[in-house]
Amino acid sequence: MFCIHHDNFQLTLNVYSHSSDMWSTTGVSNDLAVLNLLGWVCNSMCAAPMYFDQETCKMYEIRFHETSMVQSNDCIFAIHAAYMPFIYMVQILIYNSSSFELRRITMVLLFM
């Protein structure tokens, strides 16, 4: 049994399957993988400037009259959280690249 658990995202693959194609990602949602990766990349792109860029921190302080609450662990978590779905996407592309399809709604959300 192989299990990846990350916040609201959980993937469990049984490597001792009875099918002839043991290393298949059939049944795994490609839409979930793409949208999860997109969400965490966006989160990383928001957290990093709030911590590393002094000008962004000054603009935040002027607008909201308080200092930015983003800490280093927030940036590390956001980058780590973007990395894990990336690995998940690579696995899907390696093991199931011939039938990789996305629904229309996912395409619309992806290119908005």
Side-chain angles (χ1 to χ4, degrees):
M1 177 75 75
F2 176 70
C3 179
I4 295 174
H5 180 73
H6 193 275
D7 281 336
N8 296 333
F9 169 75
Q10 183 172 357
L11 166 69
T12 305
L13 295 175
N14 187 357
V15 293
Y16 301 108
S17 117
H18 295 93
S19 69
S20 60
D21 189 7
M22 196 164 139
W23 299 103
S24 173
T25 57
T26 303
V28 176
S29 172
N30 297 337
D31 300 309
L32 172 69
V34 168
L35 293 176
N36 197 19
L37 178 61
L38 176 67
W40 286 115
V41 166
C42 290
N43 188 334
S44 300
M45 290 171 54
C46 288
M50 290 296 292
Y51 181 73
F52 292 111
D53 187 24
Q54 294 301 320
E55 187 175 335
T56 304
C57 292
K58 287 178 186 176
M59 289 187 326
Y60 181 88
E61 190 172 345
I62 290 169
R63 182 169 183 181
F64 296 107
H65 308 293
E66 61 183 33
T67 59
S68 172
M69 301 292 284
V70 177
Q71 298 176 355
S72 61
N73 61 331
D74 298 323
C75 294
I76 291 169
F77 175 78
I79 293 167
H80 164 265
Y83 179 71
M84 295 310 291
F86 174 75
I87 296 296
Y88 180 48
M89 282 293 302
V90 168
Q91 288 177 342
I92 289 174
L93 292 173
I94 288 173
Y95 294 117
N96 204 14
S97 62
S98 62
S99 64
F100 186 82
E101 295 178 10
L102 295 175
R103 294 186 207 159
R104 283 189 188 148
I105 187 68
T106 304
M107 296 297 284
V108 169
L109 291 173
L110 192 59
F111 292 110
M112 280 180 83

